[in-house]
Amino acid sequence: MVRVSNALIGTLNVLSAVFSLFAVGFSLYLHIHGGSTCYQFMETPLLITGVVLLAVSIMGLIGSCGKINFFMYIYLTVLFICIVGLIGCTVFAFIVTNAGAGKVVSGRGFKEYRLGDYSNWLQNHVVKGKRWERIRTCLAESEACSSLASQGSLTLALFNKKNLSPIESGCCKPPVECGFTFKNSTYWTIPKSGPAVADSDCNTWSNQQNALCFNCNSCKAGFLGNIKKQWKNLLIFNICLILFVIIVYSIGCCASRNNRSRRKYGRYGGIA
């Protein structure tokens, strides 16, 4: 009779194998059929994750259903490494996203974002150099400012009351301190006297809808603000995932012990 722990591990690994095949298939589909820069950015990580997960699932299936402890030991070792890695990633994500927040602007419903408020690691590894070029292209292709652009009839008073997302605030309008003249949500003109402050973002702003403030530091800060918000949600998911993997690891240990028991009684008690 198959032990409950072996059956549970087998079922979980069948499900993870199906998910890994979907991940591999989707990454290959993106590679063959092309797609936007946003999706191309996902191809390699998705393919690697799918292949690794498939290999681990197969080892777990062989170890639990085939009662082969060699593969079970490898499976448990990988799970242990995953637990340690997830804990490390969770702590790291908390540290690098702990700093930085939007600044409240008097009389405005939205916040302003400044690049220097965020950790050096995020600045150096996310929005510097060629990395930002890919992100900027992705933002333009995804029409991140389209919802604002479609609200061209808004007055300045109504616009100032809007609760803009970090990307909308940083990328779709010039910084408030520039003192530009409002025409509509994504069209602002420079006063004849010039920008109110000598800020590079004020000179970078463009009324071309595929440019806007995508090259501004405020846009980079808004993107990091969006990452911070997403990573805070990811921290909760990671904690739940860690608990789940620990439970699976515990069940796997029971299955491994069952395998040893079967071999022992099979050898000395005549049980096949």
Side-chain angles (χ1 to χ4, degrees), residues 126-142:
V126 179
V127 296
K128 285 290 181 71
K130 293 183 179 180
R131 294 184 183 90
W132 179 248
E133 290 298 318
R134 297 182 66 179
I135 294 170
R136 183 183 61 79
T137 302
C138 179
L139 289 173
E141 289 181 352
S142 64

Side-chain angles (χ1 to χ4, degrees), residues 18-208:
V18 171
F19 176 79
S20 65
L21 289 173
F22 173 79
V24 171
F26 186 62
S27 64
L28 292 175
Y29 173 83
L30 292 176
H31 178 74
I32 295 171
H33 295 277
S36 69
T37 304
C38 304
Y39 290 120
Q40 291 173 358
F41 189 71
M42 296 168 52
E43 285 178 17
T44 302
L46 194 60
L47 180 61
I48 293 174
T49 301
V51 170
V52 172
L53 183 59
L54 180 60
V56 173
S57 300
I58 291 173
M59 284 188 290
L61 280 171
I62 296 174
S64 59
C65 299
K67 313 298 185 301
I68 303 176
N69 253 356
F70 172 76
F71 290 101
M72 205 64 194
Y73 291 146
I74 298 176
Y75 175 73
L76 292 174
T77 301
V78 173
L79 283 185
F80 181 77
I81 293 173
C82 287
I83 293 171
V84 175
L86 283 170
I87 292 174
C89 288
T90 301
V91 173
F92 176 76
F94 175 79
I95 292 173
V96 299
T97 59
N98 192 43
K103 301 296 178 62
V104 176
V105 183
S106 177
R108 306 297 201 280
F110 52 81
K111 297 178 180 180
E112 292 273 82
Y113 296 84
R114 294 291 177 265
L115 187 58
D117 294 338
Y118 294 90
S119 69
N120 290 329
W121 188 92
L122 280 178
Q123 294 183 47
N124 294 329
H125 292 82
V126 179
V127 296
K128 285 290 181 71
K130 293 183 179 180
R131 294 184 183 90
W132 179 248
E133 290 298 318
R134 297 182 66 179
I135 294 170
R136 183 183 61 79
T137 302
C138 179
L139 289 173
E141 289 181 352
S142 64
E143 299 182 343
C145 301
S146 59
S147 62
L148 273 182
S150 64
Q151 301 174 23
S153 60
L154 279 180
T155 63
L156 178 59
L158 290 174
F159 178 82
N160 286 337
K161 293 179 180 179
K162 288 187 67 66
N163 182 20
L164 304 179
S165 69
I167 289 179
E168 287 176 334
S169 178
C171 306
C172 306
K173 66 167 188 59
V176 172
E177 62 184 10
C178 293
F180 287 179
T181 303
F182 175 87
K183 295 299 180 181
N184 64 44
S185 300
T186 56
Y187 194 94
W188 303 69
T189 58
I190 305 174
K192 292 182 179 180
S193 58
V197 295
D199 186 278
S200 61
D201 284 0
C202 301
N203 297 321
T204 304
W205 168 261
S206 171
N207 283 314
Q208 295 181 9

